[in-house]
Amino acid sequence: MGKVKLLDPSVVEKIAAGEIVDRPASIVKELIENSLDAGSSRIEIELKGGGLEQIVISDNGCGMEEGDAVLALQRHATSKISAFEDLEEIQSYGFRGEALASTAAVSRLELTTGEKGGSKGTRVVCEGGEIKMINPSAPQEGTRITVQDLFFNLPARKKFLKSLQSEESACLDLIGKMALTRCSIRFQVKRNGKIWETYAAGESLQQRFLKLFPQTPDSQLFPVEIAQNSMRLTGFIGAPLFSKSNRNQILIYVNSRLVKPGVLSQAVVDGYSGYLEAGKFPVVVLFLEIAGKWVDVNVHPAKVEVRFSHPKEVYGFVEKSIALKLREIQEGIRPHVIPFYHSDSNSNSYLPSVYLSGSSGRTQELALFEQNGDYQIKTRLNPAAKPKFLSFVARTYGLFQEEDVLFLVDQHLAHERLNFDLLESRLKDSACPSQELLTPMSVQLPSYQVGIVQQYREFFRTVGLDVEDFGSGTVLVRSVPLGLEKIGSKSFFLSFLEKVENLEDSKSRENIYKKILMTMACRSSIQAGDEISPQEMISLFERLLNSSNPYFCPHGRPALIKLALDEVHKLFRRK
Ligand code: ADP
Ligand code: MG
């Protein structure tokens, strides 16, 4: 007898519902999205028993007439798209027509709704997906949905839920995060009958963010607004010193949808690279707006993931925008922001464009350039403002003065930053000028280190370090990266390999490569205590100012410290 059979529709319904509704917070999300899509200006959310006992969402949106209200409870019934192509220009949160049906399938749901100015409202009662009652109700403007006894017919699902408190916090956290997307809309949250939070209409993003994360000092948040042809990034980024030990406060929205941490949160973290110590994560709330055709929102049933058609460009734009903003903060450049567009009417592709931010004394211009999908930060220094070398301090620091600002430069960390930038740019351009050693350097290694050489040989070669496994534990270093000749000494090479060996537990390959470059840069740099000439110090400083990040070495230690003369006067109580 055949074993294959069609599943009973009620089983299909429950399976499908599981993809969208797995806990109270996912219902809260879907229902708020519906209220937003309905054009509401006020949304009220009530939770009882962590949302398992009851969730009520009422809005003053467009409401529904009776026929629509009944149809809306069926799977794949939607008013938001009619053809697949509509997804390209989708403005609404919903489009799959599944949320109401899924919620109704696993709860007892009551929907009352009415259109503005309508002579009557409609009440529909559902139990486990089955419509039990449809009757007229008093006229009302908007929709009210009550979801009770969640998973009453799916006891197995209940077992996977966390404690009531955690389910409730997940709902409250999610409401706070959704409230960030529309500051013009009033949200009120009630918890077990009492008002828990009100997000008044017209509050600022910052005010709402601080409600969600009250321990954030608002002086530590800096506004971001950077636009390129097809993308715009707005929101706030936190000061590097105000960092956290996890990614929970990295909030990223793509076209107003809160998306799961992933590609973009990595771009944010990489934008902070050099500003944060290892294991520290920034606080950010960022909204990326991107043309509908560059982003696919239909890759996850609950729409919490998106896919980009040009992921590298998006990643680069976010990463470099953050880096640029941090640089502005560091330089004390604030609001003179001039988005500047190039347009080329003959081409529909990505266009080269530039974002400029205004001057502050020494820095005349900071710019974000895009060319062929690659983003770079460029700096133009003010030729009026050239810091003067004053002296060496402790054979490690250079003291410079530019008008009313003093600079202390760490010779080792500055050199490390320059070497790192050099290696990184060579890696990017796949141009790896190397210096051949007059006689190849032969080094005897234990077998595990020979393994490391074998593993990274190709990568070493891409940055100009040519090492060959000669057999029986001997390796030959034939050439070293041009400009980093120090690597060609035996003691350097051995300590370099030891460092690489310790990197093995770093997660991604990119991460390991980056750390290898950092190690190369560090080991081949001028050290603290090395005697250098004033000319060398001046050249270091000038090149540092033009580097990708003059203020920090690649490991995140400060390479350059600015001290305003005003601060000095204050120290002597003159001001
Ligand atoms: P989707 O949002 O993907 O269209 P849903 O199952 O969430 O699917 O909702 C189905 C339809 O019900 C929506 O397309 C919308 O027309 C209607 N609807 C749902 N909630 C509301 C609401 N709060 N106000 C007005 N209409 C609503
Ligand atoms: Mg919906």
Side-chain angles (χ1 to χ4, degrees):
M1 200 178 119
K3 292 191 255 325
V4 180
K5 58 184 180 305
L6 282 173
L7 285 173
D8 185 271
S10 69
V11 180
V12 173
E13 199 55 41
K14 282 181 185 164
I15 292 174
E19 290 192 320
I20 297 160
V21 176
D22 60 348
R23 61 191 303 195
S26 43
I27 295 187
V28 170
K29 170 184 171 289
E30 293 291 340
L31 298 187
I32 294 181
E33 286 187 350
N34 280 346
S35 297
L36 291 171
D37 284 346
S40 316
S41 61
R42 299 162 70 94
I43 301 174
E44 204 178 286
I45 304 113
E46 296 177 47
L47 301 172
K48 267 196 199 140
L52 280 156
E53 210 177 292
Q54 192 179 66
I55 300 170
V56 185
I57 308 234
S58 26
D59 65 47
N60 64 348
C62 64
M64 287 175 271
E65 56 172 44
E66 185 185 308
D68 282 350
V70 175
L71 196 58
L73 287 160
Q74 286 190 31
R75 192 165 295 283
H76 309 306
T78 181
S79 56
K80 298 169 192 172
I81 57 168
S82 35
F84 186 72
E85 294 71 48
D86 296 346
L87 273 185
E88 263 203 3
E89 297 306 327
I90 189 102
Q91 301 286 331
S92 57
Y93 287 105
F95 54 83
R96 299 171 62 107
E98 290 181 302
L100 281 187
S102 298
T103 309
V106 294
S107 69
R108 297 182 222 275
L109 181 146
E110 181 183 309
L111 180 158
T112 58
T113 184
E115 291 178 312
K116 194 175 180 182
S119 57
K120 67 172 179 77
T122 303
R123 174 168 173 264
V124 187
V125 179
C126 238
E127 205 177 285
E130 230 178 274
I131 294 185
K132 296 279 182 195
M133 206 187 292
I134 306 169
N135 40 28
S137 65
Q140 73 176 78
E141 184 189 340
T143 302
R144 179 183 173 90
I145 294 178
T146 307
V147 178
Q148 274 176 318
D149 302 334
L150 186 59
F151 303 131
F152 79 95
N153 53 350
L154 261 187
R157 174 59 52 84
K158 273 196 174 172
K159 288 198 199 119
F160 288 94
L161 293 173
K162 301 202 174 122
S163 67
L164 286 193
Q165 282 83 349
S166 334
E167 293 303 333
E168 180 177 74
S169 338
C171 293
L172 297 172
D173 181 66
L174 186 106
I175 297 166
K177 287 175 180 167
M178 294 202 72
L180 292 181
T181 62
R182 303 280 179 91
C183 291
S184 58
I185 294 175
R186 180 182 195 272
F187 290 81
Q188 186 166 72
V189 190
K190 287 188 185 154
R191 186 176 156 261
N192 300 328
K194 293 207 178 97
I195 294 180
W196 181 77
E197 185 70 88
T198 305
Y199 299 90
E203 278 175 335
S204 68
L205 176 64
Q206 195 162 354
Q207 280 170 317
R208 288 198 173 182
F209 185 80
L210 295 177
K211 279 187 177 165
L212 191 60
F213 298 115
Q215 68 286 36
T216 316
D218 60 356
S219 60
Q220 301 294 311
L221 290 176
F222 296 86
V224 175
E225 186 180 350
I226 296 186
Q228 291 285 5
N229 299 307
S230 51
M231 290 183 270
R232 198 169 102 99
L233 195 68
T234 54
F236 285 93
I237 64 169
L241 287 178
F242 184 69
S243 55
K244 300 278 159 193
S245 42
N246 58 45
R247 291 175 190 241
N248 290 350
Q249 295 193 30
I250 301 182
L251 304 185
I252 302 172
Y253 299 79
V254 176
N255 291 348
S256 297
R257 285 174 205 280
L258 181 63
V259 291
K260 269 194 186 164
V263 174
L264 286 183
S265 74
Q266 192 53 44
V268 169
V269 171
D270 287 349
Y272 271 86
S273 148
Y275 287 90
L276 293 177
E277 289 167 37
K280 289 286 180 191
F281 297 94
V283 173
V284 305
V285 50
L286 288 170
F287 296 89
L288 176 72
E289 286 161 56
I290 178 165
K293 58 182 167 188
W294 305 118
V295 58
D296 185 356
V297 290
N298 187 28
V299 286
H300 187 278
K303 300 162 277 144
V304 293
E305 277 170 25
V306 293
R307 200 180 287 146
F308 300 106
S309 58
H310 297 65
K312 265 179 84 177
E313 279 89 321
V314 179
Y315 181 98
F317 171 64
V318 172
E319 180 197 346
K320 291 296 187 317
S321 298
I322 302 273
L324 181 100
K325 202 67 214 172
L326 290 169
R327 183 73 185 272
E328 284 177 6
I329 297 168
Q330 205 72 44
E331 305 243 350
I333 298 175
R334 284 271 188 97
H336 322 273
V337 171
I338 319 151
F340 178 85
Y341 304 91
H342 278 281
S343 64
D344 175 358
S345 51
N346 297 324
S347 153
N348 289 323
S349 61
Y350 275 96
L351 302 169
S353 63
V354 61
Y355 161 95
L356 294 177
S357 84
S359 61
S360 86
R362 197 174 47 75
T363 304
Q364 198 175 32
E365 219 167 74
L366 273 176
L368 184 67
F369 274 92
E370 185 267 334
Q371 202 145 30
N372 302 326
D374 191 21
Y375 286 83
Q376 277 180 29
I377 298 174
K378 296 210 168 139
T379 326
R380 199 161 68 187
L381 298 180
N382 204 334
K386 196 165 179 157
K388 196 168 145 246
F389 176 62
L390 300 182
S391 79
F392 286 104
V393 179
R395 276 175 97 167
T396 300
Y397 310 108
L399 180 64
F400 290 80
Q401 182 180 2
E402 176 210 302
E403 293 179 3
D404 49 5
V405 182
L406 292 176
F407 295 92
L408 268 176
V409 186
D410 183 305
Q411 63 188 39
H412 169 65
L413 300 174
H415 199 205
E416 193 178 321
R417 159 60 61 200
L418 296 174
N419 284 339
F420 179 76
D421 278 10
L422 183 80
L423 286 167
E424 220 185 19
S425 70
R426 283 180 187 168
L427 189 64
K428 214 181 209 167
D429 303 343
S430 355
C432 45
S434 57
Q435 173 74 54
E436 212 170 303
L437 300 183
L438 280 177
T439 37
M441 179 173 74
S442 140
V443 190
Q444 192 69 30
L445 296 176
S447 55
Y448 65 89
Q449 281 191 331
V450 175
I452 294 199
V453 169
Q454 285 165 344
Q455 190 179 349
Y456 292 111
R457 200 169 149 227
E458 274 315 302
F459 175 70
F460 289 162
R461 207 204 293 264
T462 51
V463 284
L465 177 65
D466 193 357
V467 195
E468 196 183 312
D469 178 6
F470 208 64
S472 353
T474 308
V475 297
L476 283 187
V477 181
R478 292 194 182 278
S479 54
V480 296
L482 192 67
L484 275 72
E485 283 80 8
K486 266 196 176 182
I487 299 183
S489 91
K490 209 170 267 185
S491 60
F492 165 84
F493 185 73
L494 287 172
S495 75
F496 167 70
L497 278 187
E498 254 168 49
K499 272 265 177 190
V500 175
E501 182 191 320
N502 293 337
L503 294 178
E504 281 290 281
D505 54 353
S506 299
K507 276 179 226 108
S508 73
R509 195 139 271 260
E510 274 68 36
N511 216 326
I512 294 183
Y513 288 168
K514 200 167 177 178
K515 294 217 164 117
I516 290 178
L517 295 193
M518 284 186 196
T519 308
M520 273 190 185
C522 172
R523 292 299 144 116
S524 53
S525 297
I526 298 166
Q527 301 298 310
D530 283 356
E531 198 166 336
I532 62 170
S533 69
Q535 283 70 27
E536 280 175 290
M537 179 56 96
I538 292 169
S539 147
L540 261 184
F541 184 43
E542 283 177 355
R543 286 185 294 144
L544 179 69
L545 293 179
N546 273 310
S547 69
S548 65
N549 181 354
Y551 293 94
F552 292 92
C553 83
H555 295 99
R557 278 168 66 191
L560 173 64
I561 288 178
K562 262 179 19 176
L563 188 61
L565 271 185
D566 255 2
E567 294 299 318
V568 178
H569 292 318
K570 272 187 207 150
L571 290 174
F572 289 100
R573 311 245 165 94
R574 285 189 201 284
K575 289 213 168 181

